[in-house]
Amino acid sequence: MPPIKLSSSLRMAVAALHKGLRKQASYTSSYSMTELETIGFISRNNDILASELASLTRITTQSMSQILKKFESQGLIARTGSSDDKRKMHISLTPAGEKLVKQNRYERDAFLQKRIETLLTDKEVALLEKVVPILDKLAAAD
Amino acid sequence: MPPIKLSSSLRMAVAALHKGLRKQASYTSSYSMTELETIGFISRNNDILASELASLTRITTQSMSQILKKFESQGLIARTGSSDDKRKMHISLTPAGEKLVKQNRYERDAFLQKRIETLLTDKEVALLEKVVPILDKLAAAD
DNA sequence: TAAAACTTGTTAGTTTACCTTACAAATATA
DNA sequence: TATATTTGTAAGGTAAACTAACAAGTTTTA
């Protein structure tokens, strides 16, 4: 396959899949893809900083600030000031936030999981598993 | 790998990659991802209908109407009424539209292509080629 | 065959998910 | 110690989608 064709078809596949996933996410959870990512990062990485979350999710710190404001107003996260640097605010999940993550973690990806299970053969699933880190590599570059 | 972990990591990889691609597209071409997809579909499928384009790109016919309006005002497409059904409008590229497609086709994906070439091994590229149709399958389902 | 229902497409107005600009406050550097 | 950088927030703007409402043509049905 000529390389330009590979990149073009990969782009189209990613765009189509993303569109479907976003639609499904909005269907089931009232949070955007980035908001779901954000809360996932907080749950896996306690006392993380707003700037770190922004860089992980590839949005500006200003946008992340808005998301965190929303989460805080809903009682999902708590901020604790850092002792060594008074500008820094460590972010962590409240019990309510933990509960929401737990409730949603499985439900959130159930849709995609079901598609994988019903549409793909075992061999295709194995291939897919191998490719995820490759996609990560392509996405990670700056 | 447990299936829920695969779907979760696939979702995150797709989201990250899509975000990067969208940013790059806006950087180089002043057309959105969906607009680029749309013009690609028209060039590959002459005399297509607006409703078909909407379904292919997974947006509403109303949104597609806006995109086509923009393209028409820029002289990129032409509409010709159907003889068998007067509601239907067949859409095709004008010479100016063809020119734009040709100019942009390679440039558009050069960024991703370069990443693939510089970041991945031959083996990884081969894997990626095999997986693109699998991603299409996951995306295609309704 | 006339009325009802559906299809195709448009316009208008709204929402969402980001962004940029501007700023405050704390910290690091010259 | 003045200047630059970092961390975070607030306000306002924008792109790309959406829903609602409608017009006009076509198909179904009573």
Side-chain angles (χ1 to χ4, degrees):
Chain A
M1 195 191 283
I4 194 72
K5 204 178 165 206
L6 171 59
S7 43
S8 167
S9 53
L10 176 60
R11 178 179 49 75
M12 291 192 58
V14 166
L17 195 48
H18 176 83
K19 222 171 260 190
L21 291 175
R22 190 166 43 121
K23 201 165 279 177
Q24 195 62 24
S26 76
Y27 220 68
T28 53
S29 90
S30 87
Y31 290 104
S32 75
M33 295 279 276
T34 303
E35 287 170 339
L36 292 174
E37 272 182 83
T38 299
I39 211 143
F41 280 125
I42 301 171
S43 96
R44 262 171 286 124
N45 201 332
N46 226 31
D47 286 336
I48 195 169
L49 301 179
S51 53
E52 291 170 341
L53 285 171
S55 127
L56 283 168
T57 56
R58 288 146 199 279
I59 61 172
T60 60
T61 56
Q62 296 92 317
S63 300
M64 182 51 68
S65 185
Q66 298 309 305
I67 292 175
L68 295 176
K69 191 173 155 187
K70 175 179 169 183
F71 285 165
E72 193 170 41
S73 80
Q74 296 178 343
L76 302 178
I77 60 161
R79 291 159 148 130
T80 45
S82 172
S83 51
D84 63 308
D85 186 333
K86 285 179 187 168
R87 293 167 307 178
K88 293 182 182 168
M89 297 298 284
H90 295 292
I91 294 152
S92 55
L93 291 180
T94 61
E98 300 265 18
K99 199 177 156 195
L100 186 137
V101 168
K102 227 171 233 172
Q103 277 178 350
N104 283 39
R105 174 166 297 156
Y106 289 94
E107 185 185 298
R108 203 197 324 166
D109 288 309
F111 154 82
L112 183 55
Q113 193 190 338
K114 190 161 187 184
R115 277 205 183 172
I116 289 173
E117 279 169 359
T118 59
L119 293 172
L120 304 187
T121 64
D122 288 356
K123 211 173 166 183
E124 288 173 326
V125 170
L127 261 171
L128 199 57
E129 284 184 10
K130 277 192 195 159
V131 160
V132 168
I134 298 176
L135 295 177
D136 280 332
K137 214 150 98 174
L138 287 177
D142 285 326
Chain B
M1 196 190 283
I4 195 71
K5 200 175 166 207
L6 172 60
S7 42
S8 166
S9 54
L10 176 60
R11 178 180 49 75
M12 290 191 58
V14 166
L17 195 47
H18 177 82
K19 221 171 263 189
L21 292 175
R22 190 166 42 122
K23 201 163 281 176
Q24 196 61 25
S26 76
Y27 221 69
T28 54
S29 89
S30 87
Y31 289 106
S32 76
M33 296 278 277
T34 303
E35 286 171 339
L36 292 175
E37 271 182 84
T38 300
I39 211 144
F41 280 124
I42 301 171
S43 96
R44 262 171 285 126
N45 201 333
N46 227 30
D47 284 337
I48 196 168
L49 301 178
S51 53
E52 292 170 340
L53 285 170
S55 126
L56 283 169
T57 55
R58 289 145 200 279
I59 61 173
T60 61
T61 57
Q62 295 93 314
S63 299
M64 183 51 70
S65 185
Q66 299 308 306
I67 291 176
L68 295 176
K69 192 173 156 188
K70 173 178 169 182
F71 285 164
E72 193 171 40
S73 80
Q74 297 178 341
L76 301 177
I77 60 162
R79 291 156 147 130
T80 45
S82 172
S83 52
D84 63 307
D85 186 333
K86 285 178 189 169
R87 293 167 306 177
K88 291 181 182 169
M89 297 299 282
H90 295 292
I91 293 153
S92 56
L93 291 181
T94 61
E98 300 265 18
K99 199 177 156 195
L100 185 135
V101 169
K102 227 171 234 171
Q103 277 179 349
N104 283 40
R105 175 166 296 155
Y106 289 93
E107 185 185 299
R108 203 196 325 165
D109 288 308
F111 154 82
L112 183 54
Q113 193 190 338
K114 189 159 189 189
R115 275 205 185 175
I116 290 173
E117 280 169 358
T118 58
L119 294 172
L120 305 186
T121 65
D122 289 356
K123 211 172 169 184
E124 288 173 326
V125 171
L127 255 171
L128 199 57
E129 283 184 10
K130 275 192 197 159
V131 162
V132 168
I134 299 176
L135 294 178
D136 279 332
K137 215 149 98 175
L138 287 177
D142 285 325

